Amino acid sequence: MSLVLGIETTCDETAAAVVRDGRTVLSSVVGSQAALHEPYGGVVPEIAARAHIETLNGLVEKAMRQAGAAPADLTAIAAPNRPGLIGCLLVGVSAAKAFAFAWERPLICVNHVEAHLYSACLRSASACAEMAGPPLPALGLVISGGHTSLYRVHDFVHIECLGATIDDAAGEAFDKVAAILGLGYPGGPQVDRLAGDGNPHAVKFPISLLGRDSLDFSFSGLKTAVLYQVQGGAAPAARRGAASSNAGPAPRPPGRGARRTGPPIPPRSADIAASFQYAVVEALRIKLRRAAKRHPVRSVIIGGGVSANRRVRAMMEALGGELGLPVYLPAAEFCTDNAAMIAGLAAELHRHGVTHTLDTPVIATI
Ligand code: KG4
Ligand code: ZN
């Protein structure tokens, strides 16, 4: 049996978790910093790093207590050393090194983005069914606030990148569109909710495919198109906290047969959100399909904050049916940043003999 303590501090979530045998999550605690960054409309790196320092030890203690684990029970201690905000990475890796040194346990450093891929392999301790891992090789998609990348996962030690965004990440586009619509931060879940009330075909936003063969992504043009739509069409900003209602005071277009005079009525915020979301999901679907046709795989796995999106999840299920491949989606609690995925991937690396020395550096880029 293996028992790994995972630590996560790459961005604005401080988290700790204990995972058994790389699969079963005995504890997973996440301290969100959203309220600290909300006034700035985005993550402030120095505030994030300082907040990690203040909360990490308490969260590690809580995760160990909830798991009923003592330091001597641990097989290893893990933290991501790349990619992320450099000050934030330093806090987590330094803490993991200190625990590893003090408790005389091996240190394992993982890639945060690859850990997102692993999140679909996790099950909570309360889940009854034993879950087999995805058959490999798998096609992997990570859609997060910082990354949008396609992978072929040969095994979790050998992960080949097939394509990535050349500008904004999908989550970043969600956050920026949320800001344009006045929905607050973090915006992805709010756009998801608002889009539920909208018509995905109300506005034809561009779906950037970057040529016939490309497996890369681009979302910055789409974000700009939303900005022009809102500014040019004078689409109303939704009130903060009103995301699930018919946000925006613009009247609905008149029904069939109604007479309309004056300038065209701008689309509602909900329609813009739904149309934007449709364009993102279509780009993801088309690239996944393209990659699956080109690279023989036995399953499809996704991870990252945007994999919590309802339309993304529905598209993935449908695509799996179309391709005849099983699809592995992370449980909601493991989509966004968490430490269970760090501990899980580290357990897998440890099984393959990977450990790291105490002079392992942190690296901001992938
Ligand atoms: O994976 P994650 O927690 O952090 C990074 O590694 O970047 O992803 C955070 C991103 C944010 O951009 C957030 O707005 C987005 O995931 N997100 C969503 C949803 N939930 C979180 N985007 C769309 N729909 C959602 N339901
Ligand atoms: Zn992440």
Side-chain angles (χ1 to χ4, degrees), residues 295-336:
H295 300 279
V297 289
R298 298 176 61 213
S299 61
V300 185
I301 55 183
I302 65 166
V306 185
S307 62
N309 182 275
R310 289 172 299 171
R311 196 165 182 112
V312 168
R313 294 176 87 88
M315 175 277 285
M316 290 299 298
E317 300 283 10
L319 183 68
E322 184 197 325
L323 298 173
L325 293 170
V327 171
Y328 290 75
L329 303 167
E333 63 192 300
F334 304 132
C335 289
T336 45

Side-chain angles (χ1 to χ4, degrees), residues 9-14 31-34 37 43 48 52 85 88 185 337:
T9 64
T10 56
C11 189
D12 60 342
E13 239 85 59
T14 321
S32 171
Q33 299 180 2
H37 302 292
V43 179
H52 288 313
L85 299 170
C88 296
Y185 165 88
D337 286 349

Side-chain angles (χ1 to χ4, degrees), residues 79-83 86 89-90 93-94 97 107 109-110 356-365:
N81 70 326
R82 69 189 188 283
I86 199 80
L89 287 167
L90 267 174
V93 169
S94 302
K97 286 176 178 176
L107 168 75
C109 292
V110 307
H356 291 92
T357 52
L358 294 182
D359 58 357
T360 302
V362 295
I363 303 163
T365 58

Side-chain angles (χ1 to χ4, degrees), residues 197-355:
D197 287 338
N199 171 8
H201 305 292
V203 187
K204 272 216 165 339
F205 285 126
I207 299 168
S208 174
L209 299 179
L210 301 170
R212 287 168 59 88
D213 296 328
S214 173
L215 292 179
D216 290 330
F217 300 91
S218 167
F219 295 109
S220 76
L222 171 59
K223 169 200 68 190
T224 308
V226 173
L227 181 65
Y228 286 164
Q229 176 68 44
V230 170
Q231 285 179 342
R239 278 172 295 118
R240 178 167 295 167
S244 59
S245 69
N246 254 359
R252 297 201 62 125
R256 200 180 330 165
R259 284 185 133 194
R260 196 157 60 73
T261 53
I265 292 169
R268 300 179 310 144
S269 294
D271 288 340
I272 294 175
S275 302
F276 156 77
Q277 189 174 267
Y278 174 82
V280 173
V281 174
E282 271 302 284
L284 299 174
R285 187 183 69 79
I286 292 167
K287 293 299 166 90
L288 277 164
R289 234 166 137 258
R290 219 176 246 186
K293 298 243 140 66
R294 205 173 302 165
H295 300 279
V297 289
R298 298 176 61 213
S299 61
V300 185
I301 55 183
I302 65 166
V306 185
S307 62
N309 182 275
R310 289 172 299 171
R311 196 165 182 112
V312 168
R313 294 176 87 88
M315 175 277 285
M316 290 299 298
E317 300 283 10
L319 183 68
E322 184 197 325
L323 298 173
L325 293 170
V327 171
Y328 290 75
L329 303 167
E333 63 192 300
F334 304 132
C335 289
T336 45
D337 286 349
N338 66 88
M341 66 183 193
I342 306 297
L345 177 58
E348 191 61 19
L349 295 181
H350 188 260
R351 213 165 58 81
H352 285 82
V354 176
T355 59

Side-chain angles (χ1 to χ4, degrees), residues 1-4 17-28 117-127 129-136 153 155-156 299 301 328 331 333-334 338-349 351-352:
M1 184 191 80
S2 80
L3 207 62
V4 176
V18 176
V19 172
R20 189 176 63 212
D21 295 330
R23 277 287 152 78
T24 308
V25 182
L26 300 185
S27 63
S28 175
L117 277 179
Y118 194 85
S119 59
C121 304
L122 299 170
R123 64 190 281 279
S124 65
S126 57
E130 263 302 326
M131 189 186 76
L136 301 175
V153 182
D155 57 49
F156 282 95
S299 61
I301 55 183
Y328 290 75
E333 63 192 300
F334 304 132
N338 66 88
M341 66 183 193
I342 306 297
L345 177 58
E348 191 61 19
L349 295 181
R351 213 165 58 81
H352 285 82

Side-chain angles (χ1 to χ4, degrees), residues 112 116 144-146 171-172 174-175 186-189 192 304-306 308-309 335-337:
H112 172 90
H116 270 303
S144 70
E172 193 179 350
F174 267 94
D175 291 337
D192 186 351
V306 185
N309 182 275
C335 289
T336 45
D337 286 349

